[in-house]
Amino acid sequence: MNKVTIRDINVDNKKVFLRCDFNVPLDEKLEITDKTRIIAVLPTIKYLLEHNAKLILCSHLGRPKGEVKKEFSLAPVAKELSAQLGKEVKLAKDIIGQDARALTSNMNIGDIVLLENVRFDIREEKNDEEFSKELASLAEIYVNDAFGTCHRAHASTEGMAKYLPSACGFLIEKELKALGDALDNPVKPFYAILGGKKVSDKIGVIESLLEKADKLLIGGAMAYTFYKAMGYEVGDSICELDKLDMAREIMQKAKDKGIQMLIPIDNKIGKEFKPDTESKIVKYNEIPEGWEGFDIGPETIKMYINELQGAKTIFWNGPLGLSEFEQFANGTNSIAKCLAELPNCTTIIGGGDSAAAVTKSGLADKMTHISTGGGASLEFVEGKKLPGIECIAEKN
Ligand code: ADP
Ligand code: 3PG
Ligand code: MG
């Protein structure tokens, strides 16, 4: 990466505007259920504090669409950050209003102010120029470390970088290194595992992996579009009937390039979309009417574990089944366990639901890298330019 990072700039006694991705999941009591994104940005925050900065933190949370809504307040994040850092993080009541201005105007070295949810202002997602300038007027330096939001060209992720000296933080640096190294120049053999809901969501990722991977292992609901394209019945499984040609093209391309593309040989199917629904195991060509494929079956799990042996790099996106329901999480959990145990293999996980599933499996710390980006990591893998990174100055 050739972008300016916080190591390259002088932040001593400066007001630093740090864009983070604190878009964390909350439960009904507004308690944070996964702190990964907060913990991931602590090295940057600590570095800036150690180098005598005055910190103004900014993030979105959820999609409040320009309205101030209590359930989207960053209050739980301010509380968690204060606990993690062992010092007070003051939450401004607004973004660039009276309270934010008052709290950020007379800061001392080491002070930390968190602005309220930047999406409470409709101009954030419009990348409004005036709003960008107003945000920039709060600080002297702009630092982006919101990797998960880098695929959005918004005022606080892209717009305001025009008006201040800019740099990126350690999380962005780490993500680009992990995703970039693994996928630009993967140590071979390089195998990719693709699951999740739709082929159409992942077409860019698939195209990119077809250029690099030695083997593609398919699972999740996406498998049923491939089944249908091959002429098998899928019952009530999620299936994109308008993407059958696309699925055939992908299979043909893999064949032409000599890439082994593996499709599940059996499935765990269920009657209804509910956790305790009746279920059974069937072969690839045996899904009856009225049943839905919700997970890869035990034979497929065995086959996939066998096929993954010897890999030196693995990229995984997309749960292999409806892993939110315990009885359909076996495929995802078994593959996570397999990756965790593979010797000398770089394992990279991208995608919001995939990261959540691996975290839930308890094996997150056994993976080389789990991206904090959902959409951002996929767009990066597709080879798209991310506006939140493009806007940061290049090193001389
Ligand atoms: P990611 O966010 O990691 O990119 P996706 O959003 O593509 O992944 O897919 C994740 C979703 O797909 C999860 O909610 C999961 O339950 C669902 N899913 C995976 N397999 C199935 C299946 N066989 N039937 C229904 N839903 C599935
Ligand atoms: C994410 O969770 O993927 C990021 O925080 C971006 O959120 P968004 O999809 O609402 O822009
Ligand atoms: Mg998802």
mmCIF file of all heavy atoms in Angstrom, residues 130-155:
data_model
loop_
_atom_site.group_PDB
_atom_site.id
_atom_site.type_symbol
_atom_site.label_atom_id
_atom_site.label_comp_id
_atom_site.label_asym_id
_atom_site.label_seq_id
_atom_site.Cartn_x
_atom_site.Cartn_y
_atom_site.Cartn_z
ATOM 1 N N GLU A 130 -20.914 21.048 1.272
ATOM 2 C CA GLU A 130 -20.972 21.943 2.430
ATOM 3 C C GLU A 130 -20.780 21.165 3.730
ATOM 4 O O GLU A 130 -20.079 21.595 4.642
ATOM 5 C CB GLU A 130 -22.319 22.680 2.481
ATOM 6 C CG GLU A 130 -22.372 23.933 1.614
ATOM 7 C CD GLU A 130 -21.142 24.829 1.825
ATOM 8 O OE1 GLU A 130 -20.881 25.190 2.985
ATOM 9 O OE2 GLU A 130 -20.439 25.108 0.830
ATOM 10 N N PHE A 131 -21.459 20.018 3.811
ATOM 11 C CA PHE A 131 -21.359 19.185 5.013
ATOM 12 C C PHE A 131 -19.915 18.698 5.192
ATOM 13 O O PHE A 131 -19.370 18.710 6.298
ATOM 14 C CB PHE A 131 -22.339 18.017 4.917
ATOM 15 C CG PHE A 131 -22.435 17.181 6.169
ATOM 16 C CD1 PHE A 131 -22.760 17.758 7.388
ATOM 17 C CD2 PHE A 131 -22.215 15.813 6.141
ATOM 18 C CE1 PHE A 131 -22.849 16.997 8.559
ATOM 19 C CE2 PHE A 131 -22.305 15.034 7.295
ATOM 20 C CZ PHE A 131 -22.624 15.638 8.500
ATOM 21 N N SER A 132 -19.292 18.293 4.088
ATOM 22 C CA SER A 132 -17.882 17.850 4.147
ATOM 23 C C SER A 132 -17.010 18.971 4.707
ATOM 24 O O SER A 132 -16.143 18.732 5.554
ATOM 25 C CB SER A 132 -17.367 17.481 2.749
ATOM 26 O OG SER A 132 -18.122 16.433 2.218
ATOM 27 N N LYS A 133 -17.254 20.195 4.220
ATOM 28 C CA LYS A 133 -16.445 21.331 4.694
ATOM 29 C C LYS A 133 -16.690 21.593 6.168
ATOM 30 O O LYS A 133 -15.761 21.890 6.921
ATOM 31 C CB LYS A 133 -16.805 22.594 3.901
ATOM 32 C CG LYS A 133 -16.209 22.627 2.510
ATOM 33 C CD LYS A 133 -16.544 23.955 1.840
ATOM 34 C CE LYS A 133 -16.185 23.917 0.380
ATOM 35 N NZ LYS A 133 -16.844 24.944 -0.400
ATOM 36 N N GLU A 134 -17.950 21.492 6.579
ATOM 37 C CA GLU A 134 -18.271 21.722 7.998
ATOM 38 C C GLU A 134 -17.571 20.681 8.881
ATOM 39 O O GLU A 134 -17.015 21.015 9.927
ATOM 40 C CB GLU A 134 -19.787 21.673 8.216
ATOM 41 C CG GLU A 134 -20.499 22.930 7.738
ATOM 42 C CD GLU A 134 -22.016 22.803 7.830
ATOM 43 O OE1 GLU A 134 -22.514 22.226 8.808
ATOM 44 O OE2 GLU A 134 -22.696 23.275 6.897
ATOM 45 N N LEU A 135 -17.611 19.421 8.451
ATOM 46 C CA LEU A 135 -16.927 18.364 9.219
ATOM 47 C C LEU A 135 -15.425 18.661 9.282
ATOM 48 O O LEU A 135 -14.802 18.578 10.348
ATOM 49 C CB LEU A 135 -17.149 16.991 8.581
ATOM 50 C CG LEU A 135 -18.548 16.386 8.696
ATOM 51 C CD1 LEU A 135 -18.656 15.122 7.829
ATOM 52 C CD2 LEU A 135 -18.899 16.031 10.150
ATOM 53 N N ALA A 136 -14.866 19.036 8.137
ATOM 54 C CA ALA A 136 -13.423 19.305 8.074
ATOM 55 C C ALA A 136 -13.045 20.479 8.974
ATOM 56 O O ALA A 136 -11.948 20.507 9.543
ATOM 57 C CB ALA A 136 -13.008 19.574 6.630
ATOM 58 N N SER A 137 -13.973 21.444 9.134
ATOM 59 C CA SER A 137 -13.661 22.645 9.929
ATOM 60 C C SER A 137 -13.462 22.318 11.414
ATOM 61 O O SER A 137 -12.950 23.135 12.166
ATOM 62 C CB SER A 137 -14.752 23.696 9.752
ATOM 63 O OG SER A 137 -15.902 23.304 10.500
ATOM 64 N N LEU A 138 -13.868 21.116 11.827
ATOM 65 C CA LEU A 138 -13.706 20.748 13.240
ATOM 66 C C LEU A 138 -12.262 20.391 13.582
ATOM 67 O O LEU A 138 -11.874 20.396 14.744
ATOM 68 C CB LEU A 138 -14.584 19.538 13.593
ATOM 69 C CG LEU A 138 -16.109 19.690 13.520
ATOM 70 C CD1 LEU A 138 -16.778 18.348 13.806
ATOM 71 C CD2 LEU A 138 -16.610 20.745 14.506
ATOM 72 N N ALA A 139 -11.478 20.008 12.549
ATOM 73 C CA ALA A 139 -10.166 19.409 12.839
ATOM 74 C C ALA A 139 -9.056 19.951 11.953
ATOM 75 O O ALA A 139 -9.292 20.771 11.055
ATOM 76 C CB ALA A 139 -10.275 17.897 12.677
ATOM 77 N N GLU A 140 -7.836 19.448 12.215
ATOM 78 C CA GLU A 140 -6.683 19.871 11.401
ATOM 79 C C GLU A 140 -6.163 18.757 10.501
ATOM 80 O O GLU A 140 -5.450 19.011 9.534
ATOM 81 C CB GLU A 140 -5.547 20.321 12.331
ATOM 82 C CG GLU A 140 -5.893 21.568 13.123
ATOM 83 C CD GLU A 140 -5.021 21.723 14.358
ATOM 84 O OE1 GLU A 140 -5.329 21.075 15.387
ATOM 85 O OE2 GLU A 140 -4.041 22.471 14.294
ATOM 86 N N ILE A 141 -6.508 17.521 10.868
ATOM 87 C CA ILE A 141 -6.028 16.356 10.101
ATOM 88 C C ILE A 141 -7.191 15.375 9.959
ATOM 89 O O ILE A 141 -7.989 15.202 10.889
ATOM 90 C CB ILE A 141 -4.854 15.652 10.831
ATOM 91 C CG1 ILE A 141 -3.622 16.564 10.836
ATOM 92 C CG2 ILE A 141 -4.525 14.306 10.193
ATOM 93 C CD1 ILE A 141 -2.489 16.045 11.700
ATOM 94 N N TYR A 142 -7.289 14.743 8.792
ATOM 95 C CA TYR A 142 -8.329 13.723 8.582
ATOM 96 C C TYR A 142 -7.668 12.341 8.509
ATOM 97 O O TYR A 142 -6.737 12.135 7.713
ATOM 98 C CB TYR A 142 -9.084 13.996 7.275
ATOM 99 C CG TYR A 142 -10.035 12.879 6.886
ATOM 100 C CD1 TYR A 142 -11.216 12.688 7.582
ATOM 101 C CD2 TYR A 142 -9.736 12.008 5.830
ATOM 102 C CE1 TYR A 142 -12.091 11.656 7.249
ATOM 103 C CE2 TYR A 142 -10.606 10.979 5.488
ATOM 104 C CZ TYR A 142 -11.774 10.807 6.193
ATOM 105 O OH TYR A 142 -12.640 9.791 5.862
ATOM 106 N N VAL A 143 -8.158 11.428 9.343
ATOM 107 C CA VAL A 143 -7.661 10.044 9.273
ATOM 108 C C VAL A 143 -8.850 9.121 9.038
ATOM 109 O O VAL A 143 -9.859 9.199 9.749
ATOM 110 C CB VAL A 143 -6.928 9.627 10.576
ATOM 111 C CG1 VAL A 143 -6.506 8.163 10.505
ATOM 112 C CG2 VAL A 143 -5.708 10.507 10.815
ATOM 113 N N ASN A 144 -8.741 8.286 8.026
ATOM 114 C CA ASN A 144 -9.795 7.290 7.811
ATOM 115 C C ASN A 144 -9.310 5.923 8.279
ATOM 116 O O ASN A 144 -8.239 5.472 7.876
ATOM 117 C CB ASN A 144 -10.192 7.227 6.331
ATOM 118 C CG ASN A 144 -11.476 6.432 6.133
ATOM 119 O OD1 ASN A 144 -12.110 6.019 7.117
ATOM 120 N ND2 ASN A 144 -11.857 6.219 4.894
ATOM 121 N N ASP A 145 -10.074 5.304 9.159
ATOM 122 C CA ASP A 145 -9.776 3.917 9.528
ATOM 123 C C ASP A 145 -11.056 3.081 9.494
ATOM 124 O O ASP A 145 -11.126 2.010 10.081
ATOM 125 C CB ASP A 145 -9.113 3.840 10.908
ATOM 126 C CG ASP A 145 -8.092 2.699 10.970
ATOM 127 O OD1 ASP A 145 -7.685 2.202 9.905
ATOM 128 O OD2 ASP A 145 -7.704 2.306 12.079
ATOM 129 N N ALA A 146 -12.064 3.607 8.797
ATOM 130 C CA ALA A 146 -13.366 2.933 8.717
ATOM 131 C C ALA A 146 -13.355 1.977 7.529
ATOM 132 O O ALA A 146 -14.055 2.198 6.528
ATOM 133 C CB ALA A 146 -14.472 3.970 8.576
ATOM 134 N N PHE A 147 -12.567 0.906 7.626
ATOM 135 C CA PHE A 147 -12.465 0.016 6.457
ATOM 136 C C PHE A 147 -13.836 -0.462 5.976
ATOM 137 O O PHE A 147 -14.117 -0.475 4.783
ATOM 138 C CB PHE A 147 -11.565 -1.193 6.740
ATOM 139 C CG PHE A 147 -11.475 -2.083 5.535
ATOM 140 C CD1 PHE A 147 -10.719 -1.707 4.442
ATOM 141 C CD2 PHE A 147 -12.212 -3.266 5.461
ATOM 142 C CE1 PHE A 147 -10.682 -2.488 3.288
ATOM 143 C CE2 PHE A 147 -12.186 -4.063 4.315
ATOM 144 C CZ PHE A 147 -11.412 -3.670 3.227
ATOM 145 N N GLY A 148 -14.698 -0.840 6.923
ATOM 146 C CA GLY A 148 -16.014 -1.379 6.563
ATOM 147 C C GLY A 148 -16.901 -0.420 5.788
ATOM 148 O O GLY A 148 -17.915 -0.825 5.201
ATOM 149 N N THR A 149 -16.543 0.855 5.774
ATOM 150 C CA THR A 149 -17.361 1.856 5.072
ATOM 151 C C THR A 149 -16.617 2.473 3.892
ATOM 152 O O THR A 149 -17.110 3.414 3.263
ATOM 153 C CB THR A 149 -17.790 2.981 6.057
ATOM 154 O OG1 THR A 149 -17.982 2.404 7.360
ATOM 155 C CG2 THR A 149 -19.120 3.592 5.651
ATOM 156 N N CYS A 150 -15.449 1.936 3.568
ATOM 157 C CA CYS A 150 -14.625 2.518 2.500
ATOM 158 C C CYS A 150 -15.242 2.405 1.108
ATOM 159 O O CYS A 150 -14.812 3.072 0.180
ATOM 160 C CB CYS A 150 -13.251 1.846 2.487
ATOM 161 S SG CYS A 150 -12.136 2.597 3.667
ATOM 162 N N HIS A 151 -16.234 1.516 0.959
ATOM 163 C CA HIS A 151 -16.866 1.392 -0.368
ATOM 164 C C HIS A 151 -17.959 2.441 -0.546
ATOM 165 O O HIS A 151 -18.603 2.483 -1.585
ATOM 166 C CB HIS A 151 -17.421 -0.022 -0.581
ATOM 167 C CG HIS A 151 -18.423 -0.474 0.445
ATOM 168 N ND1 HIS A 151 -18.271 -0.238 1.794
ATOM 169 C CD2 HIS A 151 -19.584 -1.159 0.335
ATOM 170 C CE1 HIS A 151 -19.290 -0.741 2.460
ATOM 171 N NE2 HIS A 151 -20.098 -1.312 1.593
ATOM 172 N N ARG A 152 -18.171 3.278 0.462
ATOM 173 C CA ARG A 152 -19.174 4.347 0.372
ATOM 174 C C ARG A 152 -18.473 5.682 0.147
ATOM 175 O O ARG A 152 -17.566 6.027 0.914
ATOM 176 C CB ARG A 152 -19.987 4.448 1.669
ATOM 177 C CG ARG A 152 -20.569 3.137 2.167
ATOM 178 C CD ARG A 152 -21.708 2.697 1.321
ATOM 179 N NE ARG A 152 -22.332 1.499 1.855
ATOM 180 C CZ ARG A 152 -22.890 0.564 1.093
ATOM 181 N NH1 ARG A 152 -22.886 0.652 -0.225
ATOM 182 N NH2 ARG A 152 -23.463 -0.488 1.648
ATOM 183 N N ALA A 153 -18.901 6.422 -0.867
ATOM 184 C CA ALA A 153 -18.362 7.776 -1.071
ATOM 185 C C ALA A 153 -19.279 8.738 -0.341
ATOM 186 O O ALA A 153 -20.180 9.335 -0.932
ATOM 187 C CB ALA A 153 -18.276 8.095 -2.555
ATOM 188 N N HIS A 154 -19.094 8.856 0.954
ATOM 189 C CA HIS A 154 -19.907 9.744 1.769
ATOM 190 C C HIS A 154 -19.049 10.908 2.254
ATOM 191 O O HIS A 154 -17.828 10.915 2.066
ATOM 192 C CB HIS A 154 -20.508 8.975 2.950
ATOM 193 C CG HIS A 154 -21.503 7.919 2.539
ATOM 194 N ND1 HIS A 154 -21.985 6.974 3.392
ATOM 195 C CD2 HIS A 154 -22.098 7.682 1.340
ATOM 196 C CE1 HIS A 154 -22.847 6.182 2.745
ATOM 197 N NE2 HIS A 154 -22.921 6.603 1.499
ATOM 198 N N ALA A 155 -19.725 11.913 2.884
ATOM 199 C CA ALA A 155 -18.991 13.115 3.303
ATOM 200 C C ALA A 155 -17.854 12.781 4.265
ATOM 201 O O ALA A 155 -16.739 13.286 4.112
ATOM 202 C CB ALA A 155 -19.959 14.113 3.925
#
